[in-house]
């Protein structure tokens, strides 16, 4: 297993697409900072009454969506590029246990994405709060101690999206199909759930990535799921995607 981990680490850090995906994810921190300046400018241009009713979306929730896409694509390309180039056959020849190779790849992808996602989410949080300063903008007065669990969970959901992308790419052997699956999970699913009438709509939406992160952090009043249950659902996404992919990789030709 150690040899497989080392090999997968070398692959992922020497692949150009990894740098591109990580670069775009980290660039989202810069973008969110610019958006925060725009929000602050709008706040400062209002009178006292306007400021009293002013609201702003926490920028870490914006960058979370960008991170989901960029890091999810990283997970997809971690294996789809090997199928495209034929490198996957070389990997399986060098390491005959295909399932060990795939699980090693999953572990490395998870570790890389975890570090990148936490850097993006926490970086956005601190920079946006620095720009807002002492302005009384709702959702920007919460300290990191009160928000840490949610921020951590937001980064964790990016890991789940990346692993689901990796699993889908291994199952379908298609980057397009896997990326489409990620888009459905991250963007289409919560929008569709939001258009379903109560009481079913909120219960379905509670299973979306954003809602799971907020429920894990305890940021949702009258949450559908407890933090532990939300974490279990998050883990179930990974178990299903990686479990099916691992089974199929061990049974079919490369």
């Amino acid at each position: 297993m150690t040899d497989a981990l080392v090999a997968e680490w070398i692959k992922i850090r020497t692949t150009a697409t990894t740098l591109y995906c990580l670069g775009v994810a980290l660039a989202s921190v810069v973008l969110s900072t610019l958006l925060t300046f725009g929000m602050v400018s709008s706040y400062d241009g209002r009178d006292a009454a306007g400021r009293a009713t002013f609201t702003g979306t926490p920028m870490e929730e914006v960058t979370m969506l960008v991170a989901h896409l960029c890091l999810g694509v990283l997970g997809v390309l971690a294996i789809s590029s090997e199928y495209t180039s034929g490198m996957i056959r070389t990997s399986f020849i060098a390491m005959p246990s295909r399932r060990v190779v795939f699980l090693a790849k999953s572990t490395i992808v998870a570790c890389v994405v975890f570090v990148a996602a936490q850097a993006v989410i926490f970086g956005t949080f601190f920079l946006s709060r620095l720009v807002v300063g002492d302005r009384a903008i709702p959702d920007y007065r919460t300290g990191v101690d009160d928000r840490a669990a949610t921020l951590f969970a937001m980064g964790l959901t990016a890991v789940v999206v990346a692993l689901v992308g990796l699993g889908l790419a291994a199952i379908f052997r298609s980057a397009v199909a896997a990326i489409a699956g990620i888009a459905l999970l991250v963007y289409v699913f919560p929008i569709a759930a939001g258009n379903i009438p109560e009481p079913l709509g909120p219960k379905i939406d509670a299973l979306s990535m954003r809602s799971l992160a907020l429920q894990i952090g305890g940021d949702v009043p009258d949450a559908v799921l407890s933090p532990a249950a939300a974490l279990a659902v998050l883990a179930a996404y990974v178990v299903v995607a990686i479990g099916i992919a691992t089974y199929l990789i061990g049974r079919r030709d490369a």
Side-chain angles (χ1 to χ4, degrees), residues 199-224:
L200 185 59
K203 292 180 180 179
I204 296 176
D205 181 64
L207 305 177
S208 69
M209 290 294 119
R210 176 183 177 276
S211 294
L212 287 172
L214 296 177
Q215 289 173 107
I216 291 172
D219 273 358
V220 181
D222 300 321
V224 174

Side-chain angles (χ1 to χ4, degrees), residues 12-25 74:
I12 200 168
R13 69 181 178 84
T14 56
T15 303
T17 52
T18 299
L19 297 178
Y20 296 150
C21 293
L22 292 178
V24 174
L74 187 156

Side-chain angles (χ1 to χ4, degrees), residues 52-216:
T53 58
F54 188 89
T55 58
T57 301
M59 286 299 160
E60 57 270 19
E61 294 188 16
V62 176
T63 52
M64 176 180 68
L65 293 176
V66 178
H68 280 165
L69 179 59
C70 298
L71 299 175
V73 169
L74 187 156
V76 170
L77 296 180
I79 192 166
S80 66
S81 60
E82 289 195 48
Y83 277 114
T84 301
S85 65
M87 180 62 71
I88 195 73
R89 294 186 181 88
T90 304
S91 297
F92 289 157
I93 291 172
M95 182 71 67
S97 179
R98 297 179 177 187
R99 289 171 178 168
V100 169
V101 172
F102 182 68
L103 291 176
K105 186 183 294 292
S106 302
T107 302
I108 295 300
V109 167
C111 291
V112 171
V113 171
F114 176 80
V115 173
Q118 297 301 337
V120 167
I121 298 300
F122 277 92
T124 299
F125 178 87
F126 286 115
L127 284 174
S128 62
R129 267 57 178 183
L130 181 63
V131 173
V132 169
D134 59 359
R135 295 174 179 83
I137 299 178
D139 293 324
Y140 283 85
R141 308 310 305 160
T142 305
V144 67
D145 291 344
D146 296 324
R147 189 75 169 162
T150 300
L151 296 175
F152 180 83
M154 287 179 178
L156 201 58
T157 57
V159 177
V160 172
V161 172
L163 290 177
V164 169
L166 177 69
L168 291 176
I171 292 168
F172 297 112
R173 298 182 181 181
S174 167
V176 174
I179 293 172
I182 290 174
L184 287 172
L185 174 64
V186 175
Y187 302 111
V188 178
F189 175 48
I191 293 174
N195 287 301
I196 298 174
E198 295 184 359
L200 185 59
K203 292 180 180 179
I204 296 176
D205 181 64
L207 305 177
S208 69
M209 290 294 119
R210 176 183 177 276
S211 294
L212 287 172
L214 296 177
Q215 289 173 107
I216 291 172

